[in-house]
Amino acid sequence: MAKPRAESEPLLRRVRGGSGDCPAGLTTCRSVQASPGAAARWGLCIDQAVVFIEDAIKYRSINHRMDTRSLWLYRRYYSNLCQRTLSFTIYLILSLAFIETPSSLSRTADVRYRSPPWEPPCGLTESVEVLCLLVFVADLSVKGYLFGQANFQKNLWLLGYLGVLVVSLIDWTVSMSLLCREPLRVRRLLRPFFLLQNSSMMKKTLKCLRWSLPQMASVGLLLAIHLCLFTMFGMLLFAGEKQDDGQNRERMTYFRNLPDALTSLLVLLTTANNPDVMIPAYSRNRAYAIFFIVFTLIGSLFLMNLLTAIIYSQFRGYLMQSLQTSLFRRRLGTRAAYEVLYSTSGDGGASPRGVGVKPQNLLDVLQKVQLNSFHKQALIEKVRSYGDVPLSASEFQRIFHELDNTLVKEHPPRPEYQSPFLQSAQFLFGHYYFDYLGNFVALGNIVSICVFLVLDADVLPGDRDDFILGILNCIFILYYLLEMLLKVFALGLQGYLSYPSNVFDGLLTTVLLNFLHKWDPQSHLQPLAGTEEATYQMSVELMFRDILEEPKEEELTERLSHHPYLQLCR
C-alpha cells in the first residue's frame, strides 16, 4: 500500500536538500543531467509538467500515476475523442428507453389513431446495451488503474460505479437466459447513474443537497408539526357539526377524517387551489377566516420562506466552497508543474537557491499542452516577456493567471469611405439606434398580423380577403431587405456576419423573400375552377345545400328579360 500512497500524494511528501524542496515521486528529475538515461528522464519530466498544467486548466485532481505509460494513457483518456465517445455511450444507453418494450414512441399522441408500437426483437437492444456496458467497464478499469487502489477504495462514486456495473451485467445475463421474458429489469433503474457519475456538476448538486438535508429536515419537522396541529384544530372546528345541508357537507368533506384534513391543509399550505378549502367554511361563518389566516401566515409566509432561505444559504455556501476548491486545484496543478520544471534546472541538486524555472523549458511544455489557441498564445507571450530570466514560484503562478481571462471577440473593422455623405450614412446605419428602429418595425409587423387575425376570426379561411395584409407584409419584407443591405454597407460583410443577431435577421429575411416570391396578388379574387380554393368553396356550398332555397323558374326568366344587353331569340 506504500506505493499507491506515494503516487497519490506527489507534492505532499518532500525531500529536503541543499537546493530546496523536491516532490518524493519526482526525485529522479533532480539528476537529469547526471544519470545515463538523461534524455528519457527529461522527457518524463516534461510530460509530467504538461499533465499537471492540463489538470490545472480542467480543475482535475493531480493524485494519479505519473510514470511514462500512465501519463500516455491519462492524456489519451482525457482527450476529446475518448470523452466524446463516453458521452455518446451515455446518451445511447439512456436513449434505449424510447424503443425498448414497453415503448411509448409513436407518430401521434392521439390514442384513436395511434398504431401499435414497434417491438424490437430480443437481442437487438440488449446487444447495444452490452456494448455500452463494456465501454463503461473499460472506463472504470482505466480510472481504477490511473488513480490507484487507495484512491479507488476511498472514492464512493467509483465504488458505486463498480456496483452498478456488476448489477447491470448480472441482470443482462439473466435477461438473455430468459429470452427477454423477465418481469423486471433492475438495470433500467440504474441507468441514470452513468450520467450522474460522468457529470461533475450533478455530483456537486447532489453533494450540496446532502449537505443541506439536516437543515432542511429541521424546517420540515416544523412544517409537519404545524400541519398536524392545525389539522386537529380544523377537525374540531369543522367536522363536529351535523350535516344539515349541502353546504355543510361540502365544508366537512375537507375535514372529514385525518388524511383528508391533512391533505386539505397541505393544499392550503402550497397555495394550490386553496379557495376550495377556505370558501365553504368561510361561507358558513366569517370568523373561520381567522383559522386560515393564522395558518397561512405561519406556514406559507414564515416556515416556507425559512426553508427557501436555508436552501439558498446552503447552495451559496457550497458554491463558494466549490469555487475555492477549483481555485486550489488550479494553483496546486501549476505549482506541481513548477516543482517538476524546477527540479530540472540544477545539476544534481547543487543549484543555488535563487535559481528558478527556465522560460524556455516552460515554452516547451506549453507547446504540448492541450489548450485553446487564445489562452496558449497569451501564455506564450507572457513567458517570452521574461526573456532568459529564471521564473520564481510566484512569477510562475502569475503567468497562469492568464487562464482566468476570457476571450473578448473583436468585430472586424468597418469599411472606410472617403465621401462625407457616405461617412454620415455609415454612422447613421451603423448606430445601435438603427437596430432599435428595426425592432420597432418588427413589432409593428407582429401587431398588424394580430389585428387582422382578430378581425377575421369569424371568417372562413376561403372567404378572407388577405390582399391588404399581403401588401403590408410586402412592405415589411422590403424594409427588412433594405435594413440588411444598409447594415452590410455600414459594417461590411464580415462585420455584419460577426454579429449572431445579424445572421439570424439575414436568414429570416431570405426565408421571407421566398414567401414574397410565392405570394399571389390576385388571391383576393374569385378562384378558378379546378383549383383547391374552388373545390373548398364547392364543398362548403354542398354542406349547406339542404338549407339553401332554390330560386324559381319564373324569377329567373323575369330577371333575364330585364337584362339591358341580352337579346333572347324567340
Side-chain angles (χ1 to χ4, degrees), residues 137 328 499 532:
V137 169
F328 178 78
Y499 293 89
E532 295 183 358

Side-chain angles (χ1 to χ4, degrees), residues 41-54:
R41 284 191 292 273
W42 167 258
L44 175 61
C45 294
I46 294 297
D47 290 340
Q48 289 175 348
V50 169
V51 170
F52 281 143
I53 292 177
E54 290 179 350

Side-chain angles (χ1 to χ4, degrees), residues 129-175:
E129 184 179 13
V130 73
L131 290 178
C132 296
L133 293 177
L134 291 178
V135 172
F136 295 144
V137 169
D139 174 56
L140 180 62
S141 302
V142 172
K143 287 182 177 179
Y145 170 75
L146 291 177
F147 293 98
Q149 182 180 358
N151 288 330
F152 185 87
Q153 294 176 352
K154 292 185 295 184
N155 194 321
L156 297 180
W157 283 103
L158 293 180
L159 294 177
Y161 198 8
L162 177 61
V164 169
L165 283 176
V166 171
V167 173
S168 299
L169 289 173
I170 293 176
D171 188 68
W172 181 87
T173 305
V174 173
S175 177

Side-chain angles (χ1 to χ4, degrees), residues 155-198:
N155 194 321
L156 297 180
W157 283 103
L158 293 180
L159 294 177
Y161 198 8
L162 177 61
V164 169
L165 283 176
V166 171
V167 173
S168 299
L169 289 173
I170 293 176
D171 188 68
W172 181 87
T173 305
V174 173
S175 177
M176 295 303 298
S177 61
L178 297 178
L179 299 178
C180 307
R181 296 176 182 177
E182 72 281 8
L184 178 64
R185 296 185 181 181
V186 182
R187 64 183 184 277
R188 292 185 180 180
L189 301 176
L190 303 177
R191 287 176 183 173
F193 182 84
F194 300 125
L195 180 61
L196 295 177
Q197 195 275 333
N198 195 57

Side-chain angles (χ1 to χ4, degrees), residues 99-259:
I99 59 175
E100 287 178 330
T101 305
S103 174
S104 60
L105 188 63
S106 59
R107 184 173 301 178
T108 177
D110 195 337
V111 294
R112 298 173 299 174
Y113 308 106
R114 183 185 299 175
S115 58
W118 175 69
E119 296 185 1
C122 180
L124 179 61
T125 57
E126 286 75 12
S127 59
V128 177
E129 184 179 13
V130 73
L131 290 178
C132 296
L133 293 177
L134 291 178
V135 172
F136 295 144
V137 169
D139 174 56
L140 180 62
S141 302
V142 172
K143 287 182 177 179
Y145 170 75
L146 291 177
F147 293 98
Q149 182 180 358
N151 288 330
F152 185 87
Q153 294 176 352
K154 292 185 295 184
N155 194 321
L156 297 180
W157 283 103
L158 293 180
L159 294 177
Y161 198 8
L162 177 61
V164 169
L165 283 176
V166 171
V167 173
S168 299
L169 289 173
I170 293 176
D171 188 68
W172 181 87
T173 305
V174 173
S175 177
M176 295 303 298
S177 61
L178 297 178
L179 299 178
C180 307
R181 296 176 182 177
E182 72 281 8
L184 178 64
R185 296 185 181 181
V186 182
R187 64 183 184 277
R188 292 185 180 180
L189 301 176
L190 303 177
R191 287 176 183 173
F193 182 84
F194 300 125
L195 180 61
L196 295 177
Q197 195 275 333
N198 195 57
S199 174
S200 59
M201 185 61 65
M202 290 189 177
K203 289 181 181 179
K204 293 178 180 179
T205 303
L206 292 178
K207 190 175 182 180
C208 183
L209 289 175
R210 188 188 66 183
W211 282 19
S212 305
L213 283 179
Q215 291 79 6
M216 294 171 60
S218 60
V219 181
L221 180 60
L222 291 178
L223 283 172
I225 296 175
H226 172 69
L227 282 175
C228 292
L229 288 177
F230 276 86
T231 297
M232 291 186 292
F233 292 155
M235 293 180 65
L236 293 175
L237 286 175
F238 308 128
E241 301 178 4
K242 297 181 180 180
Q243 299 182 4
D244 51 354
D245 55 8
Q247 186 179 8
N248 287 339
R249 285 194 296 269
E250 180 185 2
R251 170 171 52 85
M252 285 181 285
T253 53
Y254 296 103
F255 298 92
R256 180 172 48 193
N257 49 41
L258 182 61

